[in-house]
Amino acid sequence: MSASATVARVEGVTRTYRQDGIAVDALRGANLEIRKGDFAVLVGPSGSGKTTLLNLIGGLDTPTEGRIWIAGSELGRLSKAELSQLRLRKIGFVFQEFNLIPVLSALENVEFVMLLQGRSELQRRARALTLLKELGLEGLEQRRPNALSGGQQQRVAVARAVAAEPTIVLLDEPTANLDSKTGGALMDVMRRLNEDQGITFVFSTHDPMVVERARRVIRIKDGQVEADEAGNA
Amino acid sequence: MLFALAWRNVLRNRRRSVITVASIAIGLAAMTFLWGFVDGMNRQMVENTTRFFAGDMQIHLKGYHDDPTLDSTMVEAAPVLRAVREDAAVAAASLRLEGKALASSGDKSRGVRLVGVMPDEEALVTTLSGAVVQGEPLAGAARGVLIGEKLAAALKVKPGEDLVFIGQGYDGSVSSGRFPVRGVYRTKIDELDGFVAVMPLATVREFYAAPGGATAIAVRLRDRDGLGAARAGIAASLGQRYEVLGWPSLLPMVAVSVRFHEVVGYVVLLVFFVVVAAAVANPVLMAVLERTREFGIMLALGMSQPRLLSLVLLEAMLLGLAGLLVGNTVGLATTAYFGQFGIDLGAFESGMRTMPGLSDVVYPVVRADRSAMLSAFIFVIACLMAWYPAAKAARLDPVQAIRGLVRAGKTWRHAGPASARWPVFMLIAARNLLRNPRRSLIVIGGTASGILGFVFMLGFFDGFFEQTIENSTRYLTGHVQLERSGFRQDLAPELSIDQPQMLLEQLRRAPGVAAAAPRVQTQALASTAAKSEGIVLIGIDPPSERGVTFIDRTIVQGKALAAGAGREVMIGRKLAEKLKLRLGEKMVVMAQAADGQLGTAAYRVSGIFATESASFDGAFAFVTLPAAQRLLGLGARVSTLNIRLEDRSRLVSTVAALRASFDAPGLVFVPWQELLPQLEEMVEFSRVFANILLVLLLLVVATAIMNTVFMAVAERTREFGVMMALGTPPAAIRRMVVYETLVLLVLASLTGYGLGSALVGYLGVAGIDLSGFFRDFPAIPGITGIIYPQLFAATVVPPGIALLVAGVLVSLVPANRAARLDPVAAIRHV
């Protein structure tokens, strides 16, 4: 596999947490490679290590053992500030709870990351408006999160995640708080972004509807990658 | 069950609980310490002044206190002493014989109180012998006299040298005697150090020809706080022939100082109550408000409204009790520590020097009743603050509460998009304040109360100082006095100013001088057919005098002195009472003239004045300048030239200019601070006190700000986690928290200063009437019962800036915490 095709590589990663003095292994020597253009899901029972793996790939957490590369950079060698920059430039996040910034409008939430990147107002405004339109949020740009439905909020979160043109977008149970119709529509939007713009998406999910729409299914069990297979889509 | 639930809730969110408990504890600790400090200062003043010489109580023949002469001597004092000692409240009692005498050494002489004591017994009651700094204390019947260091300086004597005393004996004969100075004491109390001479009782009895007699029994009580009851008990057992006086009557200056501290203490405590209430209200209210969703779930699970209300209140009570425990521990421990080791205010020695009885080191006092009262107050505040949101929580619609719609519905909306000119984090910070307007209002309200508190407090002090200085200088001294060096020590007539007219004209032309007036000042004896009293006689030129002082405006009977009224005198109301003088009646004045001869003159009382000060009204008499010059044989010479400046705040530079431009050998310009040292020192001391209060107040407000920001950060942990996950640098998070604090502080400052200025402005016109507190207390001239606060930018602006800087600095603590959050844990934070 060529380096240009690999956006993330996980090599022998173990993550051990201590809970009340007892060591709990969330991941045990996991290995994984995410390729450019992947539309992959991590599936597995609760506690299997899906979210931990996403957090590690996203540079939010550090492994107890093993190494992780994102876009050619080994995360273990980066300082906190460099990790912060990496997240800003290369990684997009979507959370189960939407987690929009409550005091900013939908438009401002999408612009937020681009603003941190230092893009001009003109550039970020144009891109944010385009993305919101593509995601079916035209006319809702000035609304605050509390004036949007759950589905609308999650679409804003997706727009925010892709706005900065990251190498990879990580989504932790993005449809868990949505009804199946809204969740399906959201997945369709992301699939379109994946196909049209080549954005790499990695989901963690329990939702069969998400699994159905994936092109790659990675099964996690007991902190290890049990299977890595092509999806139905 | 409910209690267990409340307890677990308190433990569950430890940070919130710690913040709430800390807010309560710091407020309580600060107030405990403050009250302890005021109590300590008062106790020390009373302790020192009573223990040095006055005692807690004295017993005399009735009428002696108002007219202390040997005529009121208890001829056989031993049975009275025995009866007093038998009283259970009395720890020790000792006999004294006290009379007036003239003490002389070489060509120096001064009127003194000559007191005979039994040294061994006196040592059980008072501690003057412990204050001896040169020579030795009295012992048994050993011959010798103990004098204060100021008297020693005035008479230029040292231990071992002789003093001659002349006085009038009990039988009316003139008595005199020569006694060696045995020791010199220093109490830092002018009345003692300058005017009291102590000898063995037997010697004084012999001197006054009063064997077996005593004028006073000085008493030390087992418990000074039980003075009222002890006094009543002893008065009842001794009967109508005797007067039993407590220290407040014996030491009126101390009593008024204590009362003054108490009144100022109450005003300050009131300000603190408001600030502490706001500081406690903040976290308690926020702790309840941020749990809307949780309460919705409880209601949905079937908890009844009254039970939910009880639960929230129980939590507030638990937090309140924990706060009381910590606050009392910290407050009492701090107070007790300083109570043991003292707070050294020696750096402000000029301000402390002659506050009666106050030494450089103040020892705060722990008092159970104060702690109980403060604890009850804080506890009630905490519970009341929890009541309102708890009652609201109990009435929540569960579904809306769980969805968080309750808060969403109240959010203030911002219609427009982000302006490109605003940094985004400033924008987020500003909108965050509008996001939870209730919380922001609580924070702004709390901080503004603090600012309002200190603006009012400083306005109160400044107004009081200004008023007192202005009044005092306008009763008597003016702002500056030109005198011959050494004149004030004894008001000696020979130390006079030649060619005053030329100097006056020169002075009146000097820049910065509003008016100048010539004066003759001397010590004199005023007599009527009934009595004699030592007075200070002032000769004034009425037209000039009106430009400098306003004594003519304090006339309550008759009329003010007019130019040319050479046979008239204007006296104080108290002096009129003492001499039993009425308008139109004659008063004979005797004084030592400049040539050493005795000058005598008779004046008719044309006016009686009354100021707020009984001691002033009891000691001064005014005649015309030519009349006084004739009495003292001064010719055209005067004692002093008194000056009023156009602007008192420029006193230092104006006096410096006067000193530079006047070539008058032997003459000195004396500013009011030296003319009225007690006033200057009271003002200085009060400023020190105000600064201590200010520091405490700023500490409470800054802590409240930090607690609030901590709570706001804790509430938004998840939000910060998400921002960090999105790549927001920690520095930007820190900046955002600081921006929020800054916006809050600016709004609070505008509110606090606005309301504070309005309040001070209103009270500056309407006045604060505290005269009820000062009733029956003679005061130094100028202290008024009605205080008109005033604002001075130089006083109130620096604390505001200090608070702003302190607020931003303390917000860095929670801001750094937010910036160091672990994003994963933060996003998971519930």
Side-chain angles (χ1 to χ4, degrees), chain A residues 55 60-61 84 87-88 93 95 97 99 101-105 108 112-113 115-116 121 125 142 144 146-147 160, chain B residues 408 414 417-418 420 424-425 428 431-432 435 718-719 722-729 822-824 827-828:
Chain A
N55 287 340
L60 291 176
D61 200 358
S84 181
R87 286 200 295 271
L88 183 60
F93 277 103
F95 306 95
E97 301 271 353
N99 286 333
I101 299 172
V103 293
L104 298 181
S105 66
E108 288 163 349
F112 180 72
V113 181
L115 192 138
L116 292 178
E121 193 194 359
R125 180 63 45 95
Q142 300 303 339
R144 295 274 183 91
N146 58 33
R160 180 175 71 181
Chain B
H414 186 278
V424 71
F425 292 104
I428 295 177
R431 287 203 194 154
N432 262 323
R435 169 179 165 193
R718 178 195 284 246
E719 200 176 308
V722 172
M723 288 179 133
M724 292 173 98
L726 295 176
T728 308
D822 170 19
V824 177
I827 292 167
R828 283 195 190 137

Side-chain angles (χ1 to χ4, degrees), chain B residues 609-639:
Chain B
F609 63 83
T611 66
E612 299 89 351
S613 165
S615 53
F616 181 80
D617 295 349
F620 286 84
F622 294 83
V623 294
T624 61
L625 189 70
Q629 285 168 327
R630 268 197 306 276
L631 177 73
L632 302 182
L634 287 175
R637 287 176 295 162
V638 299
S639 309

